[in-house]
Amino acid sequence: MFETVIGLEVHAQLQTQSKMFCGCATEFGSPANTRTCPVCLGLPGALPVVNQRAVEMAIRTGLALHCTVQSTNQFARKNYFYPDLPKGYQISQYDRPICENGWLELQANGTSKKVRIRRAHLEEDAGKNIHADAGSLVDLNRAGTPLIEIVTEPDMHSAEEVVSYLKSLRDVLMYIGVCDGNMEQGSLRCEPNLSLRPVGSDALGTKVELKNINSFKFVKDAIEYEIKRQTKVLSEGGTIHQETRLWDIERNQTAVMRSKEEAHDYRYFPDPDLVPLVIAEEWIEELRATIQELPKDRHQRFLRDYGLPDYDAGVLTSSRALADYFEACVTLFAEPKLISNFLMSEFLRELHQAGMTVESSPVSPERLVGLLQLVHDDTISLKVAKEIFPELFAGDKSAAQLVEEKGLRQLSDEGELLALIDAVIEQHPAQVAQYRGGKETVIGFLVGQAMKRSGGKANPQKVNALFKTRLAP
Amino acid sequence: MNQVEHVANLARLQLSREELERLSTQLSRILAYMEELNAVDTAGIPGTTSVVAGDANVLREDEVQPSLSQDQALRNAPDAVDGLFQVPQIISDR
Ligand SMILES: [Zn+2]
């Protein structure tokens, strides 16, 4: 019997405007080799200068992941040759990463656990290789884009745990606005390293690094495949080689990329072109203040402060914009559950259909709350509110205006309702007799008739209650 | 000698037998000299990693500056196709 041990390296692209060490733009999708300069092309004599915003994003990432931020930082050169690396080295950090010793919580098998984060460091991305028949082609637009590499301790034991960790990490990075979290475009890349050991053993087995994984599904598939493969090799008395394996999407299997022994001799040394980066305590505290509440904390607060069900809190805190919108509504109108229900159904549906985001919603919290207040004070039914919401969404009228114009005001006046009820009683003596004879379900029919007579405007709860009093023996 | 060969390989230098022998001797002498420097007690003195006058924190604002044109970027390239640098076939990805 074997136990699986998994650690994870995640590379997240920091959402800066310009590159890590030069002013070239970082945006995705420009024509090949139109976002380069002497610095990121590695031309002789060009000197790198650190992007302050990238440093701030790295610090905020570290704080969000409960890390210690290193006061003195040094950039190092990681030396290797590859066509997408024009300088012959990657500027990275080695023995003094900017952030160390943090943790992040994951949820798996119905419980939560902390995964220790060993380090998070700043580095620059490489360019992109395209393999063609005539040779390999290189686009250096991405070369020099700032990355933060986040490395865990080998604390995970299943694909489920890794996927959960990765989702939490992605949530955090997106929430604090340092990464767009797009795995398909490569803004978030994950490289699990995986080994097996006999159950009960403390020693780590030989690990295999997995690459080419650009979706949550592939993370799960690749890890599950690799667990099976290694279990088979070890069960048959074989040995695992330390190597990097690529996930082959077509064949649904991992295949060896290269052997590691030689490749890992990077000869790191401090980059003499870059002066030390000293991070003062005040700077850290300034940045700590800019970190918004993290999704998990906000989720807990929504349960506690608004008495929402776990499901609601989860949906509402899944994006910062939606959570902000909800809280703006609650501030105006203290009916959290009514608001939550409406946001999760009608509101999100209309946004989705219009291809819009919460940020660009044409309905402000004020107008939405205006509608729900009409429901709350029985001016209109919830059903009517749902019916007119698309119009509220598409136009700029207030809910009260729409209700007035369309004559949708709910009939709640007791005198008017009683007149309606008496008319129904007179018209359906047979059903009334049945009700009086003990067949209570007939009341549904009678209420239905009264609703019909009112053109759907009568308040159904009130009609129901009034029927019961009227027909009481 | 093995070590020199290994470092040469890392640096993608192709050395002849004669060059290897000559460099091995030279490097041994350089390393011996470094050993002498190692004798100096540097405990408690932070390493000097840069000779740029005493600074720390040379930072720039996150502002986009004009890049080179594609033509300019590719001007030094021995081969280029469709705006891309062309290099000998890479067998495996990193
Ligand atoms: Zn550049």
Side-chain angles (χ1 to χ4, degrees):
Chain A
M1 275 294 282
F2 298 104
E3 177 191 35
T4 308
V5 179
I6 310 169
L8 208 63
E9 278 178 21
V10 169
H11 286 88
Q13 219 173 70
L14 298 173
Q15 279 182 297
T16 53
Q17 299 297 309
S18 65
K19 292 185 181 181
M20 183 69 216
F21 299 108
C22 65
C24 293
T26 52
E27 96 266 66
F28 187 82
S30 307
N33 295 307
T34 57
R35 295 289 178 266
T36 67
C37 71
V39 174
C40 56
L41 286 175
L43 300 186
L47 287 173
V49 186
V50 175
N51 183 336
Q52 177 167 341
R53 192 151 166 76
V55 174
E56 291 177 348
M57 286 181 168
I59 297 173
R60 290 171 60 219
T61 303
L63 293 174
L65 300 176
H66 318 94
C67 291
T68 315
V69 178
Q70 184 93 249
S71 61
T72 306
N73 276 262
Q74 180 66 55
F75 289 96
R77 294 184 179 180
K78 177 181 180 177
N79 300 281
Y80 66 91
F81 289 100
Y82 211 70
D84 60 14
L85 191 73
K87 295 191 291 295
Y89 59 86
Q90 176 190 28
I91 305 179
S92 180
Q93 292 189 290
Y94 185 50
D95 52 356
R96 312 198 77 181
I98 188 162
C99 308
E100 282 180 303
N101 303 324
W103 55 265
L104 182 65
E105 212 167 50
L106 64 75
Q107 247 96 37
N109 301 316
T111 54
S112 59
K113 76 178 228 187
K114 279 180 187 172
V115 172
R116 290 170 297 159
I117 289 164
R118 183 186 301 165
R119 58 184 283 158
H121 68 252
L122 270 167
E123 61 183 30
E124 57 175 342
D125 206 348
K128 207 173 97 190
N129 295 309
I130 299 150
H131 302 290
D133 290 339
S136 292
L137 306 173
V138 186
D139 175 4
L140 294 176
N141 282 351
R142 206 181 62 189
T145 299
L147 299 178
I148 187 157
E149 179 179 330
I150 303 160
V151 184
T152 74
E153 297 291 346
D155 284 352
M156 286 164 277
H157 303 286
S158 67
E160 191 195 359
E161 288 191 351
V162 173
V163 169
S164 170
Y165 165 84
L166 202 56
K167 285 188 172 162
S168 305
L169 181 64
R170 182 169 174 267
D171 281 352
V172 167
L173 296 175
M174 287 171 70
Y175 216 76
I176 62 173
V178 300
C179 179
D180 68 17
N182 191 323
M183 289 184 81
E184 283 75 21
Q185 284 183 3
S187 317
L188 195 70
R189 285 166 252 163
C190 103
E191 289 160 18
N193 55 74
L194 189 151
S195 63
L196 298 188
R197 65 181 171 200
V199 169
S201 158
D202 280 342
L204 291 171
T206 306
K207 70 180 178 188
V208 164
E209 205 176 295
L210 301 176
K211 289 194 177 196
N212 195 35
I213 299 174
N214 67 351
S215 78
F216 287 110
K217 183 180 181 302
F218 296 153
V219 172
K220 184 169 174 287
D221 292 351
I223 288 175
E224 282 172 355
Y225 175 86
E226 192 57 21
I227 293 172
K228 273 192 208 130
R229 186 189 72 86
Q230 292 192 20
T231 304
K232 186 160 182 288
V233 171
L234 293 172
S235 302
E236 289 167 356
T239 46
I240 300 296
H241 302 286
Q242 183 172 341
E243 61 197 9
T244 298
R245 299 178 72 91
L246 295 177
W247 177 242
D248 185 329
I249 299 159
E250 255 118 65
R251 297 206 185 86
N252 269 308
Q253 62 184 43
T254 63
V256 67
M257 181 172 84
R258 64 154 187 229
S259 170
K260 274 246 141 165
E261 286 84 357
E262 179 97 66
H264 253 185
D265 198 350
Y266 292 128
R267 305 275 159 148
Y268 283 93
F269 66 89
D271 191 325
D273 286 345
L274 290 158
V275 295
L277 172 66
V278 177
I279 300 169
E281 199 57 39
E282 301 87 79
W283 195 14
I284 298 173
E285 290 315 309
E286 219 173 275
L287 292 169
R288 197 189 298 279
T290 68
I291 294 185
Q292 299 84 352
E293 195 180 22
L294 295 172
K296 280 220 170 61
D297 300 332
R298 204 168 193 183
H299 184 130
Q300 289 306 317
R301 190 165 62 76
F302 276 24
L303 298 181
R304 196 176 62 234
D305 291 2
Y306 303 122
L308 291 177
D310 192 59
Y311 175 79
D312 293 40
V315 172
L316 295 174
T317 56
S318 65
S319 94
R320 187 164 84 208
L322 184 59
D324 287 347
Y325 192 97
F326 169 78
E327 292 215 274
C329 291
V330 174
T331 313
L332 296 166
F333 181 44
E335 287 292 330
K337 184 59 182 150
L338 179 61
I339 294 168
S340 165
N341 285 345
F342 207 85
L343 289 184
M344 292 192 301
S345 53
E346 317 305 312
F347 181 68
L348 287 181
R349 176 162 59 243
E350 284 301 319
L351 280 178
H352 182 74
Q353 278 172 4
M356 290 171 148
T357 60
V358 175
E359 288 94 328
S360 64
S361 163
V363 178
S364 64
E366 287 77 11
R367 288 174 66 222
L368 188 113
V369 160
L371 179 67
L372 295 180
Q373 276 168 334
L374 295 179
V375 175
H376 189 67
D377 67 15
D378 282 340
T379 308
I380 56 172
S381 64
L382 186 59
K383 190 164 159 280
V384 168
K386 288 181 176 177
E387 279 165 13
I388 63 171
F389 186 66
E391 245 176 288
L392 190 78
F393 190 89
D396 52 11
K397 288 184 178 146
S398 73
Q401 274 174 306
L402 281 174
V403 167
E404 220 46 65
E405 279 176 22
K406 295 174 156 296
L408 293 171
R409 182 174 282 281
Q410 184 165 250
L411 198 53
S412 292
D413 179 82
E414 210 170 300
E416 286 180 62
L417 287 178
L418 277 175
L420 208 66
I421 283 166
D422 288 340
V424 171
I425 289 174
E426 208 182 299
Q427 219 174 15
H428 301 281
Q431 281 80 1
V432 170
Q434 279 179 350
Y435 179 81
R436 287 199 163 124
K439 200 179 172 199
E440 289 183 7
T441 49
V442 177
I443 200 149
F445 169 80
L446 296 170
V447 171
Q449 290 303 312
M451 292 304 293
K452 210 164 153 189
R453 264 177 177 268
S454 75
K457 285 189 221 163
N459 178 334
Q461 283 85 30
K462 282 199 172 167
V463 169
N464 197 302
L466 286 173
F467 260 118
K468 283 184 178 163
T469 352
R470 211 51 160 186
L471 298 177
Chain B
M1 182 88 134
N2 274 344
Q3 226 184 343
V4 175
E5 236 175 328
H6 175 62
V7 173
N9 184 38
L10 286 177
R12 300 295 184 268
L13 294 174
Q14 199 167 35
L15 302 178
S16 67
R17 196 93 313 249
E18 191 260 325
E19 283 172 315
L20 268 176
E21 272 163 30
R22 182 155 47 86
L23 285 168
S24 296
T25 324
Q26 288 182 357
L27 280 169
S28 297
R29 281 217 302 275
I30 293 168
L31 288 174
Y33 176 57
M34 292 297 156
E35 279 305 312
E36 266 179 60
L37 287 178
N38 274 344
V40 181
D41 182 12
T42 56
I45 300 170
T48 302
T49 55
S50 166
V51 291
V52 181
D55 282 303
N57 294 13
V58 178
L59 299 164
R60 41 172 270 273
E61 293 287 315
D62 181 26
E63 274 164 13
V64 173
Q65 302 291 331
S67 294
L68 297 176
S69 70
Q70 194 183 62
D71 282 351
Q72 285 171 315
L74 295 172
R75 195 158 292 166
N76 286 330
D79 280 306
V81 177
D82 298 334
L84 295 150
F85 293 91
Q86 186 174 27
V87 299
Q89 188 81 53
I90 310 162
I91 301 145
S92 65
D93 214 327
R94 258 171 328 153

